[in-house]
């Protein structure tokens, strides 16, 4: 049984650099979500895909953020020109259409120096 | 505007005691009410969830109580164990499949 996987688990970058994270959902899960969690807070919704279509984006997702799910399987989240305020845990979750449960991956912890 | 208010922020109970965490929400469009458990360095994991057509749901030592008119729901952990020590989040969801998380409750169960 393979759950949601995320890579890398940790990323340290300098301010102004671009970073890309990958999420592999549970197979046959057609919905995929990205959340961001800062220290001491609950996760905040960023964006959501159904198959390859990006159906909703939070206003938290500035123009520097872009997410894709080109073939309806894995997804990538790219942050351009990173800022120190982008430091957070980026969580991916997936769910199967017709069910409510979202299964979360272990997250990618981003540190922007 | 905080749509979901969770309390307390932290909770310390003795082994065998009852842990109670509360969640108040504002959005009446929410129609699915889960509690998630998160251990350090891990992603959240669904613990138990309820739909608004029932007022209580029990799974083992975990119970959700739901009060639609008060727009509140709570998590009760009976016979709390040290292994239950974690951060708990309420995360109601509406028709858009977006979970709206509370700020979390750090539960510590002393042996």
């Amino acid at each position: 049984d393979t759950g949601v996987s995320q890579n890398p688990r940790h990323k340290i970058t300098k301010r102004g650099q671009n970073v890309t994270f990958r999420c592999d959902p549970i197979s046959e899960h057609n919905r995929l979500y990205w959340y961001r969690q800062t220290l001491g807070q609950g996760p905040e919704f960023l964006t959501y895909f159904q198959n390859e279509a990006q159906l909703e984006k939070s206003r938290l997702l500035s123009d520097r953020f872009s997410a894709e799910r080109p073939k309806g399987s894995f997804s990538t989240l790219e942050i351009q020109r990173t800022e120190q305020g982008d430091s957070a845990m980026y969580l991916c979750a997936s769910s199967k259409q017709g069910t409510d449960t979202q299964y979360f991956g272990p997250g990618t912890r981003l540190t922007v120096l | 505007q905080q749509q979901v208010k969770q309390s307390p922020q932290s909770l310390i109970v003795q082994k065998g005691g009852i842990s109670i965490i509360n969640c108040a929400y504002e959005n009446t469009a929410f129609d699915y009410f889960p509690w998630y458990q998160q251990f350090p360095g891990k992603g959240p994991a669904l613990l138990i969830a309820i739909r608004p057509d029932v007022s209580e749901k029990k799974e083992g030592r975990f119970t959700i109580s739901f009060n639609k008119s008060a727009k509140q729901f709570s998590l009760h952990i009976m016979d709390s164990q040290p292994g239950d020590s974690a951060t708990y989040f309420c995360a109601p969801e509406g028709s858009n499949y977006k979970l709206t998380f509370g700020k979390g409750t750090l539960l510590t169960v002393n042996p």
Side-chain angles (χ1 to χ4, degrees):
Chain A
D1 175 31
T2 55
V4 177
S5 62
Q6 293 187 245
N7 288 288
R9 293 293 310 278
H10 304 274
K11 179 71 177 178
I12 300 174
T13 191
K14 293 182 179 178
R15 189 176 55 184
Q17 298 294 305
N18 300 343
V19 294
T20 300
F21 311 140
R22 176 177 170 129
C23 171
D24 287 88
I26 295 171
S27 60
E28 298 181 354
H29 280 196
N30 65 328
R31 294 194 179 124
L32 187 147
Y33 315 79
W34 285 99
Y35 292 83
R36 180 171 68 186
Q37 184 176 24
T38 54
L39 203 61
Q41 302 294 317
E44 294 176 292
F45 171 82
L46 292 178
T47 190
Y48 147 60
F49 291 85
Q50 181 159 303
N51 300 312
E52 65 275 9
Q54 188 173 18
L55 296 186
E56 185 167 345
K57 291 195 296 185
S58 164
R59 56 183 172 79
L60 292 175
L61 216 64
S62 75
D63 291 345
R64 297 184 297 106
F65 289 71
S66 61
E68 294 183 343
R69 195 183 183 199
K71 297 182 180 179
S73 57
F74 73 91
S75 175
T76 58
L77 177 68
E78 181 183 16
I79 308 175
Q80 296 183 326
R81 305 181 303 282
T82 52
E83 301 173 355
Q84 288 186 325
D86 296 331
S87 295
M89 176 77 85
Y90 290 84
L91 293 161
C92 176
S94 70
S95 69
K96 193 173 181 180
Q97 190 163 357
T99 67
D100 294 302
T101 303
Q102 294 185 24
Y103 296 86
F104 283 80
T108 295
R109 179 163 295 284
L110 173 66
T111 301
V112 181
L113 301 177
Chain B
Q1 183 181 5
Q2 191 177 354
Q3 289 196 56
V4 177
K5 292 184 180 179
Q6 190 175 332
S7 61
Q9 270 189 305
S10 62
L11 180 60
I12 300 174
V13 301
Q14 293 300 118
K15 179 182 175 182
I18 301 173
S19 304
I20 301 174
I21 305 171
N22 301 297
C23 189
Y25 62 94
E26 297 173 2
N27 189 345
T28 55
F30 290 146
D31 61 4
Y32 174 66
F33 300 88
W35 285 95
Y36 277 80
Q37 179 188 55
Q38 186 176 31
F39 293 103
K42 305 287 187 181
L46 178 68
L47 189 63
I48 187 172
I50 198 169
R51 286 228 175 251
D53 53 343
V54 296
S55 60
E56 187 173 281
K57 181 177 180 181
K58 183 176 181 180
E59 291 183 355
R61 297 184 294 111
F62 304 96
T63 300
I64 290 184
S65 296
F66 180 74
N67 186 329
K68 188 174 181 178
S69 61
K71 292 189 286 185
Q72 294 179 350
F73 62 112
S74 61
L75 173 68
H76 296 232
I77 305 175
M78 311 298 288
D79 187 27
S80 299
Q81 300 296 311
D84 297 331
S85 296
T87 301
Y88 293 81
F89 295 96
C90 60
E93 178 189 289
S95 59
N96 59 2
Y97 311 111
K98 178 176 72 176
L99 296 171
T100 302
F101 283 81
K103 290 191 174 183
T105 296
L106 178 62
L107 172 65
T108 302
V109 181
N110 289 328

